[in-house]
Amino acid sequence: MGYQVLARKYRPQRFADVAGQDHVTVTLMNALTQNRIAHGYIFSGHRGIGKTTIARILACALNCRNAIGSAVRPTPEPCEVCESCVEIRAGNSVDVIEIDAATNRGIDEIRELRDAARYRPSRDRFKIYILDEAHQITDAAFNALLKTLEEPPDHIVFMMATTQPEDIPQTVRSRCQHFSFHAVKLVDILSELRGIAEHEGVDADEGALSLLAEAGDGSMRDALSIMDQAIASAPMIDGKARLDAGQIRELMGSVPNAVFERIMQAVDQNRSAEVMTVANELLDAGNSPAQLARQAVRYLRSCVIAKITGLTADGDSSTELLQISADEQRRAARTAALFSEEELTRFLQVMLRTFDELGYRQEQRFHFELGLLKLVHLRRLLPVEEVLSSLSGAGPRPGARAVSAPAATAALPAPAAAARPVVSEPVKPAFSPFEKDSQKRRYDGVAAGPAAVVAAPVVPPPVVSAPPVVSPPPVVTPAPAVEPVVVAVASPPVAVEEPLKVSEPVPVPAAVPVPGPLALEVPSDEEERVEAEPDVAIPSPVFEPVAAAVTSGEAAAMQRPVVEALSAAGQGSASDAMNDSVWTLADGELRVQTDVSKTMLPVIMNPEAEKIAKAALREVGHGALKLVLLARAGGKAAAEKKPRTAKSGSAEAKAAQHPMVVEAKRLFEAEIQTVIDLSE
C-alpha cells in the first residue's frame, strides 16, 4: 500500500478516539445502548473536526454484527473485527452508501436515491446514506426527499454532514436530529500532534507543535496536513525529522509575533520611523501585506483578551479565551500592559479595517503602512472621555479670566476689604449640555441664582450697566469724591473680573449705532392712497402676472358640458377631476389645471375621456380652442380651487337650490363642502 497522509492514517475508528466532540459521542453511544435510533441525522460544524468520521463510526456501530454487551463488543463502540465493520472502514460496504452531495445535488440523483431506498439492505441491519456537503443539494432535490425523510422505511438511516446548516431547508432540519460540532481546542490538537509525532519518530520541540496547533485554527485535519508538509521539508538528524519553530514559520509564510511586539512598543513610544522601518523589512522579505495584516489582527485580538482577563507577563495564569501557547500568552500580556483597553480596541478596529481594504486595493503595501501609521496617530489623540472630564473640572469658560477670592480681596482698598463680608463663591456644577440654555434664560431677564448686595447706608448706589447677551464686560461708573461701594453678585455662570481702581478714569466704550428700519420703495400713487386711507396696507412685491382664471359665465358654459358629458359616458373619475379643476384661457389655449398628480393624470384622463371632452367643447362652439391638461405641481395644486360646480339633478344641486341654503350663503358667505344623500 502506498503512503497515506497523516489525516487519513490517524483517522479515528472509535468514538473515544474523536477529540473535542464529547457532547456528540456520548449522546450517540447512549442512543445505541437504549436502541433509540433516529432515521435522520445532521452533523454541522467547522471543517476538519470529525463530522464525516463520526458518521462512519455510527454506521459501523449500527451495522456491527456483534451485539452490545457481548465479549467481543462490551460497549456501544463498533467491534472493528466483523465483516461489516471492516467493509465500512474500507469503504466497500454495499449497505452504507456515501454520496458527495456537491456533485450529486440535482433532483434526478435524489429521485434515484429515493427509489433505491425502498429495497431492504442486502446483508446488514440498516441501509445507511451518508450525504457529505449536504447544503449544496438543491431545494427541488430536498423537496423530493421530504416524504422519505418524514416517513422512511424501518431500515433507512440518513446522515448529512455540512458546514452550512442554515442552507438546509427548515422542513428538512425539523425531520432530523441536529448535532452541532465544536471547533477543537488548542490543547486537544496539541495533545494529538504530540502523540502522532512520537509515533512517527519525529523530533519536534514544543514551540513547533504549538505553531502547528495554532495554524490548524480549530481544525484537526488542517493541523495534520500542515504537520505532514512540515515533516516532508524538515532536515534529517540521526535518521529523524527535526521540526523547529523557525522552519514552520518559513513554511507557512508567517513572521514571529516578536515583530508585532516590537511594532507595538514603537507605537507606545510614538516612534513612527521605527514602525515604518520594521514594516519595510517585513515587506522587503517577501511577506504579503494581507498576511501581515491578518497576523497583526490576531495578535491585537490576543492583546485585547489578555488585557480584559488580566493576564500578567510574569504569572503562570492562562485563559481559555486565548487558544495560543503559554509563551505567546505572556508576549500578549507584555504588550497589553502598555495600553489601555480602549486603546487596544481602537487599534484592533483600525487593523481590521485595513485588512478588509487590502482585499480590493491596488497598492496593498501603501495601505498596510498607512494602517500602521494610524496606530501611532491614535496614540497621540486624547479620548473624548478625557476631554469631557477636563471640561467638567475646569473653572471659568474659555475667554474669561478667573480671579480667586483672596486675590480679589487683596486688590481692593483696605476699608472696603475690611467692611466687605466674606461671601463664598458657589461651586460650579459639573459640565452640563444645558449650560448654554441657562445662560440664554439669564440674559433674557430670568434670574440664574440668588444675588447678595452689600452697600454703605449713606452713599448712593453706583450705576451698574448689565452686559447685553455676552457683550463687553459690565462697566462700573463711580461717583466723584465718594467712597467706593462693594457689590458682590453670586451668580455661577459669571466669571469674576479683576477690580478696577476708582482713582483712575474708566473708559466707556462708544455706543454702537443701531441701523434703523429698512425703507421700502413704494410707488407714489400707493403713498397717496395710504395717506388718504390709513387702513390700506402697502402691497406686497409684484411678480410676473399670470393668466387669470376664467370665472365668468363663459367658463361655466365650457366646463359644465364637459363634466356632464364625461359623467354620462361613465367616466366618473374624469368627470370629478374636470369639475374640481381651474379653467384658464391664455394664448388661444384652454388650460385645465387639475388637482391630479402627474402619474395619475394619464390614467384618469385617458384618450377616450379626452375625446369626449373635446367633442363636448365642439358642441358648445369652442372646438377651435386647444385643450391642455395640467397636472398638480410639486404635490399641491398650482392654483386655488374654485367652488365645486354641482351636477345637474344631483343631490348637491338640489341642496344648493334649497331656500335655507341660499339664505345661509347670503348671510354668512358660506359654501357647500359635503353633501350626503341619505335617500339611497
Side-chain angles (χ1 to χ4, degrees):
M1 183 178 180
Y3 174 74
Q4 273 190 328
V5 296
L6 297 180
R8 293 186 58 192
K9 183 177 180 179
Y10 293 97
R11 190 170 194 170
Q13 303 298 327
R14 300 168 58 88
F15 287 118
D17 297 337
V18 180
Q21 310 299 337
D22 295 340
H23 65 291
V24 178
T25 57
V26 172
T27 304
L28 293 178
M29 291 178 68
N30 292 339
L32 290 169
T33 303
Q34 302 171 14
N35 198 24
R36 303 177 67 88
I37 309 302
H39 59 271
Y41 295 93
I42 295 178
F43 300 143
S44 66
H46 196 51
R47 66 185 185 278
I49 56 177
K51 300 184 297 295
T52 309
T53 297
I54 286 184
R56 291 180 179 178
I57 296 174
L58 180 59
C60 289
L62 289 175
N63 286 340
C64 184
R65 297 193 176 186
N66 297 311
I68 300 175
S70 61
V72 182
R73 188 188 178 191
T75 64
E77 298 276 9
C79 67
E80 303 183 53
V81 294
C82 66
E83 293 182 5
S84 297
C85 292
V86 173
E87 289 180 356
I88 293 173
R89 187 191 310 168
N92 300 326
S93 177
V94 178
D95 296 326
V96 178
I97 301 98
E98 188 170 348
I99 301 175
D100 180 17
T103 55
N104 300 278
R105 58 193 301 267
I107 189 172
D108 295 335
E109 290 83 357
I110 298 301
R111 283 175 178 170
E112 293 178 3
L113 183 151
R114 184 186 58 186
D115 295 339
R118 301 175 183 175
Y119 303 102
R120 299 193 62 83
S122 59
R123 182 189 61 189
D124 296 330
R125 179 185 175 188
F126 293 100
K127 179 176 285 189
I128 301 172
Y129 289 93
I130 300 177
L131 304 177
D132 201 6
E133 301 297 331
H135 62 274
Q136 299 202 30
I137 298 177
T138 62
D139 293 340
F142 270 125
N143 293 333
L145 194 61
L146 278 180
K147 192 63 177 177
T148 305
L149 278 175
E150 185 174 5
E151 299 176 357
D154 296 338
H155 57 273
I156 291 295
V157 176
F158 289 98
M159 301 180 190
M160 290 176 278
T162 176
T163 57
Q164 302 176 19
E166 63 277 0
D167 291 346
I168 297 179
Q170 183 63 34
T171 53
V172 175
R173 282 186 282 170
S174 63
R175 290 169 168 81
C176 302
Q177 290 187 8
H178 187 186
F179 289 89
S180 180
F181 285 53
H182 300 165
V184 187
K185 296 181 180 179
L186 179 73
V187 291
D188 295 334
I189 297 179
L190 193 59
S191 177
E192 292 291 330
L193 294 182
R194 193 179 295 112
I196 292 174
E198 182 179 355
H199 192 273
E200 289 289 325
V202 177
D203 187 8
D205 57 14
E206 196 67 19
L209 294 178
S210 298
L211 281 177
L212 293 174
E214 292 175 20
D217 196 18
S219 172
M220 182 68 72
R221 184 174 60 206
D222 290 359
L224 290 176
S225 298
I226 298 174
M227 184 180 183
D228 208 346
Q229 186 179 359
I231 293 175
S233 63
M236 301 296 294
I237 301 177
D238 296 335
K240 291 184 178 182
R242 172 65 182 174
L243 294 180
D244 58 1
Q247 175 227 346
I248 294 176
R249 286 196 186 94
E250 185 178 357
L251 179 66
M252 295 188 302
S254 61
V255 297
N257 284 336
V259 176
F260 298 104
E261 182 182 10
R262 179 184 170 189
I263 290 177
M264 298 310 297
Q265 289 176 353
V267 170
D268 175 58
Q269 298 171 4
N270 198 14
R271 296 202 300 262
S272 303
E274 184 175 352
V275 172
M276 298 302 295
T277 301
V278 176
N280 182 67
E281 293 174 358
L282 294 175
L283 295 172
D284 288 347
N287 296 292
S288 169
Q291 178 65 20
L292 292 175
R294 177 186 176 87
Q295 282 191 255
V297 167
R298 296 176 68 90
Y299 183 74
L300 285 174
R301 187 261 177 187
S302 300
C303 295
V304 171
I305 299 300
K307 189 69 175 181
I308 293 174
T309 55
L311 287 181
T312 57
D314 53 353
D316 297 332
S317 60
S318 61
T319 175
E320 292 186 357
L321 295 176
L322 283 179
Q323 295 295 318
I324 54 179
S325 62
D327 293 338
E328 293 300 331
Q329 289 191 12
R330 288 190 289 270
R331 189 188 308 277
R334 287 196 299 269
T335 301
L338 302 176
F339 307 97
S340 65
E341 183 179 332
E342 292 79 6
E343 289 175 332
L344 290 173
T345 305
R346 285 192 285 266
F347 293 163
L348 180 58
Q349 185 179 14
V350 168
M351 290 310 299
L352 276 172
R353 190 176 303 168
T354 302
F355 177 69
D356 291 340
E357 291 177 351
L358 291 178
Y360 57 89
R361 298 293 185 180
Q362 295 295 329
E363 298 291 344
Q364 292 190 350
R365 177 187 183 119
F366 301 158
H367 286 279
F368 176 68
E369 293 174 343
L370 178 61
L372 294 180
L373 279 178
K374 286 180 180 179
L375 302 184
V376 183
H377 297 164
L378 285 177
R379 183 62 169 167
R380 299 172 182 171
L381 298 178
L382 285 177
V384 178
E385 298 83 358
E386 185 175 341
V387 176
L388 292 179
S389 62
S390 64
L391 288 177
S392 62
R397 296 183 304 277
R401 186 172 47 181
V403 180
S404 61
T409 306
L412 290 173
R420 175 186 178 183
V422 179
V423 180
S424 60
E425 184 179 356
V427 181
K428 182 176 180 179
F431 176 80
S432 170
F434 304 101
E435 184 177 356
K436 291 184 178 181
D437 186 57
S438 64
Q439 291 292 318
K440 179 180 179 182
R441 293 197 301 269
R442 174 180 176 273
Y443 288 118
D444 287 343
V446 181
V453 180
V454 180
V458 182
V459 181
V463 179
V464 181
S465 58
V469 192
V470 196
S471 282
V475 179
V476 180
T477 308
V482 179
E483 292 293 331
V485 179
V486 180
V487 179
V489 180
S491 180
V494 179
V496 180
E497 301 291 339
E498 291 184 355
L500 299 176
K501 294 183 179 181
V502 181
S503 59
E504 298 178 1
V506 180
V508 179
V512 180
V514 180
L518 298 178
L520 299 177
E521 295 184 0
V522 184
S524 58
D525 54 346
E526 294 296 338
E527 290 181 355
E528 297 175 358
R529 184 183 176 190
V530 171
E531 293 176 359
E533 301 177 10
D535 295 336
V536 179
I538 298 178
S540 302
V542 180
F543 298 96
E544 290 294 330
V546 296
V550 179
T551 58
S552 61
E554 184 181 2
M558 290 186 290
Q559 183 177 10
R560 185 178 297 276
V562 174
V563 173
E564 293 180 352
L566 290 172
S567 178
Q571 299 283 346
S573 300
S575 176
D576 293 340
M578 293 293 100
N579 194 23
D580 295 339
S581 60
V582 178
W583 294 54
T584 306
L585 280 174
D587 300 332
E589 294 180 348
L590 180 57
R591 300 181 181 178
V592 180
Q593 176 64 60
T594 65
D595 196 24
V596 183
S597 64
K598 185 178 181 181
T599 305
M600 293 300 299
L601 184 60
V603 179
I604 295 177
M605 289 301 297
N606 49 51
E608 182 180 356
E610 190 173 352
K611 182 179 179 181
I612 295 172
K614 291 180 179 179
L617 289 175
R618 285 196 298 270
E619 290 180 1
V620 296
H622 295 283
L625 294 175
K626 181 180 179 181
L627 181 61
V628 179
L629 300 177
L630 302 177
R632 181 175 57 209
K636 296 182 180 179
E640 295 183 358
K641 296 173 60 177
K642 70 171 188 174
R644 179 183 178 93
T645 305
K647 303 177 184 177
S648 60
S650 62
E652 187 174 358
K654 294 178 181 179
Q657 299 172 2
H658 196 276
M660 294 181 60
V661 176
V662 173
E663 188 66 16
K665 288 183 177 180
R666 186 183 67 80
L667 293 177
F668 307 108
E669 298 182 357
E671 64 179 28
I672 300 176
Q673 292 290 342
T674 306
V675 177
I676 302 176
D677 189 3
L678 300 179
S679 61
E680 299 178 357

